[in-house]
């Protein structure tokens, strides 16, 4: 188990404090912690500007060729196929590109979303061969394709051109597409390297409109920002630079979005559109979009975002909510089964540092979600595997918070046929011959990693008193929103907070609420999917605790409430 070490950030240096003197001292400290040390940088960060923060799309390598090919396809009335990934980045991107063609009155377009379990990620060879039979002349990928060399070769053999729009890491050999638009490809000098897949699609749309607006009114494309912003927030790309602008304006458009599917979904979730935040996307909407593909029905999510029919929107909302509930049930059963297995292993002796658990009957698409829950009881690096529709062994891995998974898998690379991801989470594929020795290989690799057992150092933005938990404080904090990767929610230390009440809430009583004694009224703090025993220090009535928290605004049942989100209880 990783050991966390907390420390409060030092005061802002005098030079930076002078530069930021026009801002409240708390906001100064929060900005300086995010690398903002000048008045100019502060203004740019706090006030995103669509015209200034979005770069010229033609700076993307391959954009000129892609735009010319699409304009030729439109001129010659060629059939275009939009092939998008099946997640909450690829599906919105596929919807946006399809709607763009419709807005410019071009209708010889179709969409394809692969089946997550049966086909897997990326271009699928059989699907490509089917497109030729349907008369497709141009394939445009969304959020995939950058490593699909054989599939693009086959498309060319069949007389189809391919334009790849993607944001994933390229392989050593690029597919022979007519154009590749990916800011991460070699020799691409585009200033923003971390766009999500839908963000790349939006740049493509901007570029086409620079060459020919097709009588589309100026600025009309900004209405696509609802889904582009949603995807940017869903795909966990750093919310700085251009991404911050896309997320910032995306939320503003989402608050006004006329999409019936989104309107029905907000109503179903009890969310007022004008109050939508990044948390509503990350914790409510995105899981439902992703649940569709995890349960083998990605087109249901596509329908929710694309439909203009209120009746179909109602049906899609109910269906996605039911699928999400079904997904929760399947994951809960998986978690129960995995925990039982690990507890039985514990009886036989201490568990190894790295755990590998799998079953050929498990769907790989659900295993990352299961791992998140299992780690509450078993804080180890975890690798879970199952078998997909192509009879391949694939899985997901999660770090316990300390281990760098990419470094671990790199140290055990001979055990895998494929792996990727980042420090905290990843995916992998293993051959049938090596799956039964994977745990041994990973534990040998783990022992070779530097800094094993080192404390996890976490910086807290400031120390607050319970009396500071008020709307004035929150107004300074919310100027930094939207929060996410690269711009995390500020973390605060509150010392000696006296516990008034401890209770569980929710239908299944699986969320924790702790009430602390404030000067005028109790201060509520919550932790989702937690119990008092989830923390090393158990909250009990009468105890005075040092707590690590963030401040958040809740609008549940349309009642604005300021509360704390418990991150940790340290003493």
């Amino acid at each position: 188990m990783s050991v966390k070490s907390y420390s409060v950030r030092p005061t802002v240096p005098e030079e930076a404090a002078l530069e930021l003197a026009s801002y409240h001292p708390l906001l100064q400290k929060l900005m300086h912690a995010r690398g903002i040390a000048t008045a100019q940088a502060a203004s740019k960060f706090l006030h995103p500007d669509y015209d200034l923060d979005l770069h010229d799309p033609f700076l993307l390598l391959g954009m000129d060729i892609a735009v010319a090919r699409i304009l030729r396809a439109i001129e010659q009335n060629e059939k275009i196929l939009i092939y998008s990934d099946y997640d909450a980045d690829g599906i919105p991107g596929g919807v946006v590109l399809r709607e763009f063609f419709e807005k410019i009155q071009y209708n010889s377009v179709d969409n394809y979303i692969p089946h997550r379990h049966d086909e897997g990620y990326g271009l699928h060879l059989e699907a490509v061969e089917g497109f030729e039979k349907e008369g497709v002349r141009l394939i445009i990928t969304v959020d995939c394709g950058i490593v699909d060399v054989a599939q693009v070769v086959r498309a060319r053999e069949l007389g189809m051109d391919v334009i790849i729009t993607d944001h994933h890491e390229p392989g050593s050999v690029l597919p022979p597409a007519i154009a590749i638009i990916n800011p991460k490809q070699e020799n691409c000098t585009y200033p923003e390297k971390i766009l999500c897949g839908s963000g790349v699609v939006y740049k493509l749309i901007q570029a086409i409109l620079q060459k020919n607006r097709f009588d589309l009114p100026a600025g009309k494309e900004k209405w696509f920002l609802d889904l582009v912003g949603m995807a940017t927030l869903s795909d966990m790309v750093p919310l700085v630079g251009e991404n911050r602008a896309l997320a910032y304006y995306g939320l503003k458009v989402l608050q006004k979005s006329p999409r019936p599917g989104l309107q029905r979904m907000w109503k179903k979730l009890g969310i007022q559109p004008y109050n939508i935040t990044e948390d509503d996307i990350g914790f409510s909407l995105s899981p439902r979009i992703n649940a569709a593909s995890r349960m083998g029905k990605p087109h249901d999510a596509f329908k929710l975002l694309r439909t203009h029919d209120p009746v179909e929107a109602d049906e899609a909302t109910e269906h996605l909510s039911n699928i999400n509930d079904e997904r929760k049930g399947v994951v809960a059963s998986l978690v129960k089964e995995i925990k039982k297995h690990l507890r039985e292993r514990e009886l036989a002796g201490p568990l190894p540092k790295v755990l590998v658990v799998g079953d050929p009957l498990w769907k790989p698409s659900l295993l990352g979600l299961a791992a998140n829950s299992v780690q509450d009881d078993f804080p180890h690096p975890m690798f879970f595997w199952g078998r997909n529709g192509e009879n391949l062994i694939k899985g997901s891995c999660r770090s316990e918070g300390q281990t760098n998974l990419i470094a671990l898998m790199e140290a055990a690379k001979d055990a895998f046929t494929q792996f990727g991801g980042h420090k905290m989470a990843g995916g992998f594929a293993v051959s049938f011959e090596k799956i039964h020795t994977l745990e041994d290989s990973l534990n040998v690799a783990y022992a070779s990693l530097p800094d094993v057992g080192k404390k996890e150092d976490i910086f807290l933005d400031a120390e607050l008193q319970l009396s500071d938990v008020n709307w004035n404080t929150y107004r300074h904090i919310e100027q930094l929103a939207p929060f996410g990767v690269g711009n995390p929610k500020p973390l605060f230390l509150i010392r000696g907070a006296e516990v008034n009440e401890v209770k569980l809430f929710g239908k299944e009583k699986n969320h924790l609420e702790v009430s602390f004694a404030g000067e005028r009224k109790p201060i509520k703090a919550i932790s989702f999917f937690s119990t008092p025993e989830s923390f090393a220090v158990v909250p009990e009535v009468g105890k005075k605790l040092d707590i690590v928290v963030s401040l958040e605004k809740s609008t549940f049942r349309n009642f604005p409430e300021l509360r704390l989100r418990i991150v940790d209880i340290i003493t």
Side-chain angles (χ1 to χ4, degrees):
M1 182 175 183
S2 63
V3 180
K4 295 177 181 177
S5 173
Y6 295 102
S7 56
V8 179
R9 293 186 187 278
T11 56
V12 178
E14 184 177 352
E15 185 179 351
L18 288 172
E19 277 280 333
L20 303 174
S22 62
Y23 301 101
H24 187 276
L26 176 60
L27 186 53
Q28 288 181 32
K29 198 166 188 181
L30 297 179
M31 288 194 291
H32 188 262
R34 284 152 183 76
I36 301 167
T38 67
Q40 183 180 4
S43 179
K44 181 177 176 61
F45 190 86
L46 296 177
H47 308 289
D49 186 302
Y50 180 89
D51 294 319
L52 296 178
D53 293 344
L54 269 64
H55 308 295
D56 180 355
F58 281 100
L59 294 176
L60 280 157
L61 182 66
M63 184 64 82
D64 52 345
I65 299 172
V67 169
R69 181 64 184 87
I70 291 170
L71 292 176
R72 177 158 63 88
I74 292 171
E75 182 181 339
Q76 298 179 0
N77 197 34
E78 295 178 322
K79 185 170 182 179
I80 298 173
L81 189 285
I82 301 168
Y83 190 110
S84 64
D85 190 24
Y86 43 60
D87 66 3
D89 182 10
I91 291 176
V95 172
V96 164
L97 193 53
R98 175 67 174 272
E99 289 185 348
F100 165 71
F101 283 118
E102 291 176 348
K103 293 289 185 187
I104 63 172
Q105 306 298 313
Y106 190 74
N107 295 307
S108 187
V109 184
D110 205 354
N111 286 77
Y112 188 91
I113 305 171
H115 191 285
R116 186 171 194 155
H117 185 63
D118 294 341
E119 295 177 280
Y121 174 76
L123 281 167
H124 196 258
L125 199 57
E126 290 183 15
V128 169
E129 291 174 342
F131 300 152
E132 189 270 338
K133 296 173 184 175
E134 296 168 6
V136 172
R137 308 314 315 150
L138 176 62
I139 300 171
I140 305 174
T141 74
V142 176
D143 194 30
C144 63
I146 193 64
V147 296
D148 296 323
V149 177
Q151 296 89 329
V152 175
V153 168
R154 183 61 177 149
R156 289 187 62 177
E157 291 173 350
L158 295 171
M160 294 180 287
D161 285 332
V162 179
I163 294 172
I164 292 172
T165 76
D166 203 349
H167 71 122
H168 294 98
E169 293 291 341
S172 57
V173 178
L174 292 178
I178 191 169
I180 296 175
I181 308 171
N182 182 339
K184 292 179 181 174
Q185 66 180 308
E186 190 175 356
N187 298 323
C188 182
T189 59
Y190 192 71
E192 186 62 83
K193 297 294 183 184
I194 48 178
L195 291 170
C196 72
S198 289
V200 177
V201 163
Y202 190 69
K203 303 309 296 184
L204 175 62
I205 291 171
Q206 284 187 308
I208 294 171
L209 291 176
Q210 278 192 29
K211 293 296 183 182
N212 187 338
R213 288 208 63 89
F214 295 95
D215 297 324
L216 198 68
K220 190 74 173 179
E221 67 274 15
K222 293 179 183 178
W223 282 102
F224 296 137
L225 287 172
D226 57 352
L227 299 191
V228 175
M230 182 196 112
T232 300
L233 292 165
S234 299
D235 210 50
M236 306 294 284
V237 292
L239 297 183
V240 294
E242 189 166 18
N243 280 335
R244 176 168 170 79
L246 292 173
Y248 179 88
Y249 287 102
L251 280 173
K252 290 187 177 299
V253 178
L254 269 168
Q255 292 167 356
K256 304 174 183 177
S257 179
R259 298 180 189 277
L262 289 179
Q263 291 178 348
R264 297 309 194 275
M265 183 60 78
W266 301 138
K267 185 176 181 181
K268 174 78 175 178
L269 296 172
I271 296 170
Q272 289 293 332
Y274 55 80
N275 282 325
I276 292 168
T277 68
E278 64 272 20
D279 284 347
D280 296 320
I281 305 301
F283 296 121
S284 296
L285 181 59
S286 296
R288 284 162 172 78
I289 300 299
N290 285 325
S293 67
R294 293 185 195 278
M295 303 306 291
K297 302 172 182 177
H299 277 278
D300 293 339
F302 183 83
K303 185 189 300 182
L304 176 88
L305 300 178
R306 176 170 156 70
T307 185
H308 300 288
D309 181 348
V311 174
E312 190 173 53
D314 281 331
E315 292 173 351
T317 298
E318 289 299 320
H319 194 38
L320 275 188
S321 295
N322 291 337
I323 288 173
N324 193 49
D325 290 341
E326 181 186 352
R327 186 268 304 166
K328 288 180 181 178
V330 174
V331 171
S333 296
L334 263 176
V335 169
K336 185 176 180 180
E337 183 179 349
I338 293 166
K339 286 184 177 181
K340 180 183 177 183
H341 168 77
L342 291 175
R343 288 192 180 104
E344 288 173 352
R345 285 186 62 181
E346 270 188 318
L347 294 175
L351 293 172
K353 297 294 185 181
V354 182
L355 298 175
V356 176
V357 185
D359 190 306
L361 299 178
W362 292 349
K363 286 185 176 181
S365 60
L366 299 175
L367 296 178
L369 300 173
N372 294 337
S373 297
V374 173
Q375 278 188 326
D376 290 341
D377 293 342
F378 299 92
H380 295 249
M382 292 195 168
F383 288 71
F384 291 166
W385 61 268
R387 188 166 58 189
N388 70 3
E390 296 178 291
N391 207 31
L392 299 174
I393 293 180
K394 291 191 172 185
S396 290
C397 51
R398 294 292 184 273
S399 170
E400 85 289 14
Q402 177 188 359
T403 304
N404 184 326
L405 291 174
I406 294 300
L408 177 60
M409 289 190 283
E410 185 65 36
K413 61 184 178 182
D414 291 343
F416 300 100
T417 57
Q418 186 180 4
F419 65 86
H422 51 84
K423 178 181 176 180
M424 303 302 294
F428 61 91
V430 186
S431 67
F432 283 94
E433 304 82 53
K434 293 190 176 182
I435 188 59
H436 298 297
T437 58
L438 179 60
E439 187 171 88
D440 291 338
S441 299
L442 286 167
N443 277 285
V444 170
Y446 179 86
S448 72
L449 294 179
D451 299 328
V452 169
K454 183 181 177 182
K455 283 187 177 182
E456 181 184 358
D457 295 321
I458 298 176
F459 284 100
L460 306 180
D461 288 281
E463 184 173 336
L464 299 180
Q465 306 296 319
L466 278 176
S467 58
D468 294 320
V469 182
N470 55 52
W471 289 110
N472 283 333
T473 301
Y474 181 76
R475 275 189 278 274
H476 297 303
I477 296 169
E478 70 175 343
Q479 292 184 61
L480 299 170
F483 298 108
V485 176
N487 180 33
K489 282 188 177 182
L491 293 180
F492 302 103
L493 173 64
I494 298 178
R495 297 184 189 273
E498 184 178 347
V499 178
N500 261 4
E501 184 181 14
V502 179
K503 66 180 182 180
L504 298 174
F505 69 98
K507 288 182 181 179
E508 300 174 12
K509 301 296 181 184
N510 57 348
H511 308 306
L512 175 66
E513 180 183 316
V514 181
S515 177
F516 294 101
E519 288 184 345
R520 297 181 181 178
K521 62 178 182 178
I523 305 293
K524 182 192 294 186
I526 63 162
S527 180
F528 290 116
F529 301 104
S530 299
T531 66
E533 292 71 31
S534 298
F535 299 95
V537 179
V538 177
E540 297 174 351
V541 174
K543 270 189 178 181
K544 290 188 175 181
L545 305 174
D546 290 357
I547 53 177
V548 176
V549 297
S550 59
L551 273 66
E552 64 181 23
K553 176 183 177 181
S554 169
T555 55
F556 184 64
R557 293 176 179 164
N558 301 325
F559 178 75
E561 177 187 39
L562 184 63
R563 66 189 184 191
L564 301 175
R565 176 73 69 92
I566 301 173
V567 176
D568 203 356
I569 302 174
I570 53 179
T571 57

